Amino acid sequence: MSNVAITVNGTLHTKEVEDRTLLVQFLRDHLGLTGTHVGCDTTQCGACTVIVDGKAVKSCTILAASIEGASVSTVEGLADGEKLHDVQAAFHEHHGLQCGFCTPGMIMASVNMIERHDGVLDEATVRHELEGNLCRCTGYHNIIKAVLSAAEKHRTAHAVAAE
C-alpha cells in the first residue's frame, strides 16, 4: 500500500491505495469521479482519457502512484457550475455524441488538443489526433464539427483578449 497525493480538478486528494491501483481506478473507486469511463483496459479506446500535468493520457494504464504530486483534470472539472466548458457545449450543440460512452474521453482529448494548438485546427489534424479515441456510434462526423467549432471559439476568444 502507498499513500498517494494527487490534485484532481484543483483539489488535493491523499489516499492510501494498493501499489497496482490504476489512475482510472483511483478516480472512479477512491474519489467517486465516474465520468472517466473504463472501456478496454488496453489503451485502445480512449474512453478513460484525462489530462495529467497538461498532457492527455489514457488513465487505464497509468499507476496512480506513478503520478504522485501531479495535477489531473477530468470531465467533471470542466464545467463552471451550470455553465458548460466550450468543448462540452460544442458536443451538445453539434450532436457529437450518441450513446455517450466515449464522450468524456473525446472531450478531454479535444480540450487538450485545442489548448496545445491554440485553437488553430483543421479537420485533418483533429482526425489524426483523435485516432486513439474510438466511437462506435457517430462515425466521427459530428465530433469533428464540435471540436472545430470549439477551437474556433477558443481562437476568437484569445484574439479578442490579446487586443
Side-chain angles (χ1 to χ4, degrees):
M1 299 289 274
S2 298
N3 277 323
V4 176
I6 300 172
T7 300
V8 179
N9 299 327
T11 303
L12 178 63
H13 296 275
T14 302
K15 301 282 184 183
E16 185 175 48
V17 298
E18 290 186 38
D19 294 335
R20 64 187 176 137
T21 300
L22 297 170
L23 177 56
V24 69
Q25 295 167 325
F26 181 81
L27 296 169
R28 292 178 61 82
D29 301 341
H30 295 272
L31 302 184
L33 298 173
T34 57
T36 302
H37 293 165
V38 178
C40 65
D41 286 328
T42 61
T43 72
Q44 300 300 308
C45 76
C48 68
T49 302
V50 298
I51 300 172
V52 176
D53 290 338
K55 182 178 179 185
V57 300
K58 295 176 182 176
S59 62
C60 72
T61 57
I62 295 175
L63 294 173
S66 74
I67 62 161
E68 167 75 26
S71 179
V72 177
S73 299
T74 70
V75 71
E76 289 94 343
L78 292 180
D80 183 12
E82 295 295 314
K83 184 183 181 310
L84 294 177
H85 184 280
D86 288 342
V87 175
Q88 291 171 310
F91 268 66
H92 178 262
E93 179 183 336
H94 294 279
H95 310 288
L97 60 118
Q98 284 186 13
C99 81
F101 192 79
C102 72
T103 306
M106 286 283 190
I107 286 174
M108 296 309 292
S110 299
V111 165
N112 185 252
M113 178 190 341
I114 290 168
E115 286 293 324
R116 284 185 294 104
H117 291 278
D118 283 332
V120 180
L121 292 169
D122 57 28
E123 183 176 339
T125 302
V126 173
R127 287 185 180 278
H128 174 73
E129 293 219 12
L130 288 180
E131 282 180 351
N133 292 71
L134 301 179
C135 174
R136 292 181 171 93
C137 298
T138 69
Y140 299 94
H141 181 71
N142 290 341
I143 291 171
I144 304 303
K145 284 182 6 183
V147 174
L148 291 172
S149 173
E152 176 64 27
K153 188 169 187 174
H154 176 90
R155 194 170 52 250
T156 301
H158 284 262
V160 169
E163 291 178 353

